[in-house]
């Protein structure tokens, strides 16, 4: 979790920041003076619950009027159920459709990785479908596909595999001529 601060706070030289997510403390609170931000690790929560985020500096509320100026929503991790297609040409460029659950909403930051490479133009089609443009790969390799929604990643053991195949090689065309009127059956 990152909390950005405005200049109206009394930041001091070495402030002691405390962050509560609901009723539980945020762990490993770090203050970055250069970026005017605080980062911390959220405690466990319940899917779908929205809890207040309260920030204190040296025991004083960061916002004098109401220390609960933010809220945080716990979401289920994205889950993949199917890739379409599950194999394709190593040259990349074709569309990959990822189906699953908990893909969030249109305001979410979405990333799909095929192996170590980002799938281009990842787009949320609906809450259960993402489309993206496949990156290049190595012929004959099967690589895990992972989805990241707002920084939450699909669990690695649940990753589906995408297999890179060689492009088809055209070896013959029969017949290689025909009438102007068309209608010939070609065998490739």
């Amino acid at each position: 979790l990152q909390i950005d601060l405005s200049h109206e706070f009394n930041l001091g030289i070495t402030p002691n920041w405390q962050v509560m997510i609901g009723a539980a403390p945020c762990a490993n609170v770090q203050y970055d003076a250069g970026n005017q931000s605080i980062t911390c690790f959220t405690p466990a929560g319940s899917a779908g619950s929205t809890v207040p985020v309260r920030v204190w500096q040296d025991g004083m509320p960061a916002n004098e009027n109401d220390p609960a100026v933010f809220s945080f929503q716990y979401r289920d991790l994205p889950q993949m159920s199917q890739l379409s297609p599950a194999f394709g040409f190593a040259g990349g460029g074709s569309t990959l459709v990822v189906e699953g659950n908990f893909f969030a909403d249109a305001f979410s930051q979405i990333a799909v990785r095929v192996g170590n490479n980002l799938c281009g133009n990842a787009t949320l089609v609906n809450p259960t479908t993402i489309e993206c443009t496949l990156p290049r790969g190595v012929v004959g390799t099967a690589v895990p596909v992972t989805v990241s929604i707002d920084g939450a990643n699909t669990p690695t053991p649940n990753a589906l595999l995408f297999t890179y195949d060689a492009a088809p090689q055209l070896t013959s065309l029969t017949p290689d001529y025909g009438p102007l009127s068309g209608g010939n059956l070609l065998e490739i």
Side-chain angles (χ1 to χ4, degrees):
L1 174 65
Q2 177 174 323
I3 301 169
D4 295 320
L5 306 170
S6 71
H7 292 284
E8 62 191 64
F9 292 121
N10 176 17
L11 298 177
I13 296 174
T14 56
N16 180 21
W17 291 95
Q18 300 87 33
V19 179
M20 295 292 284
I21 309 296
C26 209
N28 195 28
V29 177
Q30 300 290 317
Y31 168 63
D32 182 345
N35 289 323
Q36 298 283 307
S37 66
I38 299 169
T39 57
C40 63
F41 292 98
T42 59
S46 300
S49 66
T50 300
V51 294
V53 176
R54 292 183 171 86
V55 179
W56 289 271
Q57 177 191 358
D58 296 321
M60 299 295 294
N63 180 342
E64 293 177 12
N65 297 327
D66 180 10
V69 294
F70 304 109
S71 62
F72 180 82
Q73 183 182 44
Y74 286 95
R75 294 182 178 172
D76 283 310
L77 290 175
Q79 297 174 358
M80 296 183 302
S81 59
Q82 181 176 341
L83 300 177
S84 180
F87 56 89
F89 304 127
S94 58
T95 299
L96 176 67
V97 177
V98 182
E99 295 181 15
N101 290 309
F102 311 119
F103 288 163
D105 55 46
F107 302 106
S108 299
Q109 293 180 357
I110 302 164
V112 177
R113 287 195 174 278
V114 180
N116 293 325
N117 299 313
L118 278 174
C119 203
N121 303 315
T123 304
L124 183 69
V125 176
N126 59 53
T128 62
T129 307
I130 297 172
E131 290 183 352
C132 63
T133 304
L134 281 162
R136 293 181 176 269
V138 176
V139 173
T141 59
V143 293
V145 175
T146 55
V147 171
S148 174
I149 305 293
D150 295 327
N153 299 317
T154 51
T156 304
N158 297 343
L160 299 175
L161 296 179
F162 181 85
T163 302
Y164 282 106
D165 291 330
Q169 299 296 315
L170 304 180
T171 58
S172 68
L173 174 66
T174 305
D176 61 357
Y177 60 89
L180 294 175
S181 61
N184 273 19
L185 177 65
L186 292 180
E187 182 178 321
I188 301 174

